[in-house]
Amino acid sequence: MLGNFSYLNATKLYFGDNSLEYLNEELPKYGKNVQLIYGGGSVKRNGIYDEVMKILLANGKNVVEDAGVMPNPTVDKLREGVRIARENKVDLLLAVGGGSCCDYAKAVSVSVNCDDDPWDKYYIRFEEPDCEIVPVACILTMAGTGSEMNAGAVITNHEAKLKIGHVFGENVMPKFSILNPKFTFSLPKRQMVAGIYDIFNHICEQYFSGEDDNTSDYIAEGLMRSLIHSSLIAIDDPENYEARSNIMWTATWALNTLISRGKTTDWMVHMLGQAVGAYTDATHGMTLAAVSLPYYRTIMPYGLNKFKRFAVEVWGVDPVGKSDEAIADEGLLAMEGWMKKLGLNMKISELGATPDMIEGIADATIILDGGYKVFTRDDVVKVLTESL
Ligand code: NZQ
Ligand code: ZN
């Protein structure tokens, strides 16, 4: 295993179908004013809002509502959240929802006590917070992003046509997160599968880098196999607790910084997907699915050994009597078959992208250098065009 690193994960998790009870244990640790952050209303329809509110009131909290966090939260909404937090002197930002609510809470957290505009400071200049942060906690209702146990916060600026993530320090990770797999049962199938592909791709982004023998890769393979297995159960039987709980737990471990230890990591599918998202506002996991195969087929020759290992260890391809290229190809074909079975969008045109957007999306794509091939702008345009 190569690389020098430190490892700490600061988030306490409560997992299982009784996990919300532990909110009673956590709340007394924080001050009276709680900003209750949620999205477009799913938590009201499925009853989670009522359950959470009851516990907050029983613990004597002043609840300040911050509703309407949209999928792919915007910088305008972020500024509104900061204003709410300041006006009410909030002591805890409690996100109840998916990655969007949780990311948004973190972005508010680092901006409440800071004079600069959050977009310029964190998403253009990539500075670190130098002000007091407000603690964040999360009650998760959608499995996918891993935001419940990491310090990432992705914000979209429609005016600038940019969608950018900032990974903050450990102190911005949720102080605690509550993961009840049953809370994900009410997700529409499209969101469930988008989340499943997001999880899978988080693992790929870390796995497809480096040539050394690395424990992180073995863990990644186990996570991928578990996810594939559970996903195939969940698409036929969405209320299968065992499958949904495994998916939820895999999501957390896919992006809680463990499997990136000792890895350079790739993240180019996410850079492409986020740029597509900036232009289309499409569902995050779907943007990743739509660019993945053209991307992986482009980089495969540069990371052939790992793609061969992926085929054999993750997809069970029999390598006997086949060339390395043929084995690697078979692995990607198996992945493609699984993605189609889940019903993912396989083209960015299905998400609203049009040929005239390609140059702009390419401009919005940040190029990273941790993967098997450092892309040129031409490579970006080629992959986007093949994804149309
Ligand atoms: O807004 P409501 O009404 O709550 O509906 C949401 C939303 O429409 C709905 N939903 C969530 N839980 C539900 C439910 N509907 C019914 N029942 C439930 N239990 O699902 C829709 C999508 O929710 P959202 O939070 O947007 O999804 P997701 O968890 O995929 O989060 C996406 C955001 O996270 C960012 C993405 O870029 C995107 O902005 N990411 C964050 C990362 C991180 N923090 O590390 C990494 C990821 O790669 C990703 O970039
Ligand atoms: Zn993602």
Side-chain angles (χ1 to χ4, degrees):
M1 188 148 167
L2 301 177
N4 305 302
F5 55 83
S6 66
Y7 182 72
L8 174 110
N9 194 302
T11 303
K12 179 161 189 178
L13 294 180
Y14 296 97
F15 189 94
D17 62 3
N18 73 343
S19 50
L20 189 59
E21 287 171 23
Y22 292 91
L23 187 56
N24 287 301
E25 276 187 22
E26 289 293 335
L27 287 177
K29 299 177 189 169
Y30 302 92
K32 236 178 145 41
N33 300 329
V34 177
Q35 185 160 336
L36 182 63
I37 292 167
Y38 56 97
S42 71
V43 291
K44 290 210 166 161
R45 291 189 292 277
N46 58 25
I48 298 171
Y49 172 91
D50 289 340
E51 286 186 60
V52 171
M53 192 58 112
K54 210 164 110 191
I55 298 174
L56 286 167
L57 296 178
N59 281 273
K61 300 297 178 186
N62 294 329
V63 180
V64 183
E65 299 229 3
D66 182 2
V69 177
M70 61 293 284
N72 311 318
T74 63
V75 66
D76 294 333
K77 177 66 187 160
L78 168 59
R79 291 182 186 123
E80 182 189 318
V82 171
R83 187 179 48 73
I84 295 172
R86 282 181 188 157
E87 282 174 6
N88 296 281
K89 299 191 168 39
V90 304
D91 301 300
L92 177 68
L93 296 157
L94 180 61
V96 187
S100 292
C101 287
C102 194
D103 277 23
Y104 165 85
K106 292 176 217 168
V108 172
S109 155
V110 294
S111 308
V112 179
N113 297 310
C114 159
D115 293 333
D116 296 14
D117 179 73
W119 177 260
D120 294 340
K121 182 175 174 68
Y122 298 123
Y123 296 93
I124 298 296
R125 301 199 301 271
F126 273 91
E127 290 171 16
E128 293 311 314
D130 43 17
C131 53
E132 198 185 330
I133 64 146
V134 180
V136 170
C138 170
I139 297 170
L140 195 66
T141 66
M142 159 145 184
T145 63
S147 188
E148 66 275 14
M149 205 183 192
N150 69 38
V154 182
I155 295 295
T156 297
N157 185 329
H158 286 303
E159 210 183 320
K161 284 201 161 31
L162 289 171
K163 181 179 183 185
I164 297 180
H166 188 133
V167 181
F168 292 98
E170 288 144 8
N171 57 343
V172 182
M173 287 183 181
K175 299 293 174 230
F176 65 92
S177 286
I178 289 175
L179 278 60
N180 181 345
K182 284 191 176 159
F183 286 178
T184 69
F185 283 2
S186 56
L187 270 172
K189 195 167 183 180
R190 180 177 166 77
Q191 291 295 339
M192 178 184 82
V193 297
I196 289 170
Y197 190 71
D198 191 22
I199 302 166
F200 191 80
N201 191 254
H202 292 160
I203 306 170
C204 290
E205 299 276 30
Q206 297 163 92
Y207 182 74
F208 288 116
S209 67
E211 304 282 352
D212 56 317
D213 187 39
N214 191 319
T215 301
S216 292
D217 290 334
Y218 296 85
I219 303 172
E221 286 161 358
L223 291 173
M224 286 192 269
R225 283 162 53 187
S226 168
L227 181 66
I228 294 161
H229 177 77
S230 296
S231 69
L232 293 172
I233 297 169
I235 45 166
D236 289 333
D237 182 11
E239 299 211 356
N240 185 307
Y241 183 85
E242 188 172 50
R244 296 303 288 272
S245 62
N246 284 323
I247 291 168
M248 197 173 209
W249 193 228
T250 307
T252 303
W253 284 90
L255 196 50
N256 71 356
T257 73
L258 177 76
I259 64 166
S260 64
R261 297 306 92 178
K263 306 280 304 177
T264 52
T265 72
D266 184 351
W267 293 108
M268 276 310 294
V269 169
H270 270 67
M271 294 305 104
L272 291 156
Q274 281 178 200
V276 171
Y279 273 72
T280 62
D281 206 24
T283 299
H284 171 65
M286 293 300 186
T287 64
L288 307 176
V291 300
S292 280
L293 284 157
Y295 178 74
Y296 287 126
R297 292 200 165 111
T298 304
I299 66 162
M300 193 177 80
Y302 305 89
L304 193 56
N305 282 337
K306 185 57 75 61
F307 279 92
K308 190 178 137 193
R309 177 172 162 175
F310 176 69
V312 174
E313 300 299 333
V314 178
W315 297 102
V317 171
D318 178 2
V320 177
K322 295 171 193 159
S323 69
D324 288 357
E325 286 79 4
I327 298 164
D329 270 338
E330 238 183 273
L332 287 182
L333 270 176
M335 178 173 115
E336 185 172 0
W338 170 70
M339 292 170 74
K340 287 183 173 162
K341 209 179 268 181
L342 292 186
L344 296 163
N345 291 119
M346 306 297 281
K347 295 280 167 202
I348 59 173
S349 51
E350 295 167 25
L351 302 171
T354 49
D356 59 302
M357 290 181 189
I358 295 295
E359 290 297 324
I361 298 175
D363 287 341
T365 303
I366 296 169
I367 295 179
L368 302 174
D369 61 4
Y372 288 123
K373 181 181 195 315
V374 181
F375 261 31
T376 60
R377 193 176 181 287
D378 287 349
D379 293 324
V380 171
V381 170
K382 171 183 166 287
V383 166
L384 290 171
T385 306
E386 287 172 7
S387 306
L388 260 175

